[in-house]
Amino acid sequence: MVWVLPAMLLVGNLWRQEGDAGRDRLARVKVLIAGGAGFIGSTVTSACIDAGIEPVVLDNLVTGRVEFTAGRAFYEGDIADGALIDRVFAEHPDIDAVVHAAALIVVPESVAEPLRYYRENVSKSVEFIDHVVRNGCTRYLFSSSASIYRPGDDFAVDEHSAIEPLSPYARTKAVMEWVLEDTAAATGLRAISLRYFNPIGADPKMRTGLQIAKPSHVLGKLITALENDEVFSVTGIDWPTRDGSGIRDFIHVWDLAQAHVQALRHFDEVLPEGGERSYDVINLGTGNGTTVRELLDAFQAVADKPLRVEETGPRPGDTVGSYTRSTRARELLHWAPEFSTEDGIRHSLEWSALRPTVLS
Ligand SMILES: NC(=O)c1ccc[n+]([C@@H]2O[C@H](COP(=O)([O-])OP(=O)(O)OC[C@H]3O[C@@H](n4cnc5c(N)ncnc54)[C@H](O)[C@@H]3O)[C@@H](O)[C@H]2O)c1
């Protein structure tokens, strides 16, 4: 603890540097990634490694995969396990920041099992934040979700849009944002909630991707339909969008991961230590609204194969969706997405073919 504070101040200054010298020194920066064996957390971990930031992964493998932690500093365990968190910080006293991507994420499951979701995503996260603060770490990036927004008439949202989470899953995210805001106001913690829109794709180097064979989100269902010659269901056709299907902002998971690298690099500019503000929220999306029918068209073009399609009602917890109109990520993080929806579809298909050999 004695040398952690000066080290953090030093690193805080280093993170403001750009160019080769700054990047060389970034090699000394270390980040704890909770949920780093999952889809997004493992991609963030890869992006950090590529950027010269040293990751330490913590994951209880409830949905994550041990294969995604190969060659990486990895602690298997729960975010609520205080003794384990203390051990992680004791063995890595130079951890400068935390990325909190650990959570349960399946919306219909959260409707059926709300208490499990509040326990895993809220109660355990409260414990985790407590352990992080107790260990003197003051930079915190939280994986939040655009599903907490109430979209306006045009479905575009920014960070000032109304918050109206409609599923237990989304509510756990909204609650955690308030927990973080209140904790940051009362302690030395500085926290940024990154509100993700709809991640697609895989690590372009194919180190990681979606771990489950039949994902429940729309692109996963398209791939399942293609690979197994099944019918694809457009779930929800009466939404007030341009074609009646839900609208999403599909962001490539590698772009999302790069935004975390940028958020780590620019953390102290967004929330200076000792500054007036200690909490912020930033949307991470492309800014383009794509309907499910438009995604279906793009998918059939990339896959070069027509699918059999049916139309059904929405699933429990489904919402019309939204896309970001915010420019905060570009301005504050100096970040812009580079991959297209078609790139995301192509990388998802590539990963899906590779997945059985990477994940035994
Ligand atoms: N995938 C999306 O569409 C999406 C959209 C918006 C926000 N998010 C958020 O991004 C984060 C990552 O999502 P993902 O898609 O990578 O999901 P994922 O299930 O692939 O990853 C979550 C990881 O957290 C781990 N985990 C869960 N509970 C834990 C606990 N108590 N202790 C330790 N580890 C635990 C799991 O084993 C898994 O590796 C989540 O917080 C999620 O809410 C995801």
Side-chain angles (χ1 to χ4, degrees):
M1 184 64 81
V2 175
W3 70 274
V4 172
L5 189 59
M8 287 190 312
L9 291 171
L10 177 66
V11 168
N13 287 332
L14 296 179
W15 282 2
R16 282 194 284 274
Q17 297 187 21
E18 292 292 338
D20 289 344
R23 265 193 294 279
D24 286 349
R25 286 165 168 188
L26 266 172
R28 287 193 226 141
V29 171
K30 201 179 266 192
V31 59
L32 173 61
I33 303 182
F39 171 51
I40 294 169
S42 66
T43 318
V44 171
T45 305
S46 298
C48 283
I49 292 169
D50 290 1
I53 297 171
E54 196 178 334
V56 176
V57 171
L58 167 70
D59 201 297
N60 67 2
L61 301 181
V62 60
T63 57
R65 295 295 300 237
V66 72
E67 293 90 334
F68 289 168
T69 69
R72 298 169 179 190
F74 172 52
Y75 291 81
E76 181 176 346
D78 205 283
I79 55 169
D81 183 344
L84 176 64
I85 309 304
D86 288 349
R87 183 156 75 84
V88 171
F89 278 97
E91 292 174 4
H92 302 274
D94 47 349
I95 287 173
D96 309 289
V98 167
V99 173
H100 181 171
L104 300 181
I105 68 156
V106 182
V107 171
E109 193 178 73
S110 79
V111 175
E113 300 175 72
L115 287 180
R116 181 170 167 238
Y117 269 68
Y118 281 106
R119 185 178 304 115
E120 296 297 323
N121 291 3
V122 177
S123 305
K124 288 187 173 183
S125 295
V126 168
E127 295 299 315
F128 183 55
I129 294 165
D130 202 6
H131 302 319
V132 168
V133 170
R134 183 161 44 74
N135 277 282
C137 186
T138 63
R139 298 182 186 89
Y140 204 95
L141 293 180
F142 178 64
S143 299
S144 190
S145 167
S147 63
I148 68 174
Y149 285 121
R150 178 176 69 209
D153 289 344
D154 63 354
F155 313 109
V157 291
D158 63 27
E159 291 84 354
H160 300 293
S161 295
I163 301 301
E164 189 183 73
L166 294 179
S167 69
Y169 163 75
R171 287 184 186 137
T172 67
K173 292 287 159 187
V175 170
M176 283 317 304
E177 288 205 10
W178 284 312
V179 169
L180 280 169
E181 184 172 6
D182 289 343
T183 307
T187 69
L189 191 75
R190 291 169 284 153
I192 303 174
S193 290
L194 299 172
R195 292 178 180 159
Y196 308 162
F197 282 70
N198 303 92
I200 57 170
D203 172 11
K205 292 185 186 166
M206 293 294 134
R207 286 167 287 194
T208 59
L210 272 175
Q211 57 274 45
I212 42 178
K214 291 191 170 186
S216 62
H217 64 50
V218 57
L219 181 55
K221 292 207 172 276
L222 282 164
I223 294 174
T224 302
L226 176 79
E227 290 176 345
N228 303 328
D229 198 22
E230 291 173 9
V231 174
F232 171 73
S233 300
V234 179
T235 51
I237 51 164
D238 291 323
W239 298 112
T241 59
R242 51 185 170 258
D243 62 19
S245 65
I247 196 159
R248 304 282 182 268
D249 186 334
F250 296 106
I251 175 158
H252 197 293
V253 69
W254 187 252
D255 283 328
L256 199 67
Q258 288 302 326
H260 291 71
V261 169
Q262 290 300 94
L264 291 169
R265 282 188 169 139
H266 296 282
F267 196 101
D268 289 357
E269 294 159 40
V270 180
L271 294 176
E273 190 170 32
E276 277 178 19
R277 291 162 48 261
S278 53
Y279 179 75
D280 212 339
V281 297
I282 300 177
N283 282 357
L284 292 182
T286 63
N288 299 316
T290 304
T291 68
V292 172
R293 289 186 204 276
E294 288 163 357
L295 182 74
L296 171 64
D297 290 344
F299 183 84
Q300 294 182 119
V302 173
D304 198 20
K305 193 175 169 197
L307 293 182
R308 288 182 292 135
V309 177
E310 67 173 8
E311 297 176 345
T312 66
R315 300 168 303 171
D318 270 354
T319 60
V320 60
S322 63
Y323 62 97
T324 186
R325 63 165 169 249
S326 166
T327 54
R328 294 199 93 225
R330 288 165 200 264
E331 290 157 12
L332 296 178
L333 307 183
H334 310 280
W335 165 88
E338 290 178 0
F339 287 113
S340 65
T341 303
E342 285 74 14
D343 292 329
I345 294 170
R346 205 172 45 254
H347 286 142
S348 290
L349 284 167
E350 209 179 314
W351 169 256
S352 185
L354 208 61
R355 197 191 60 81
T357 58
V358 178
L359 302 178
S360 50

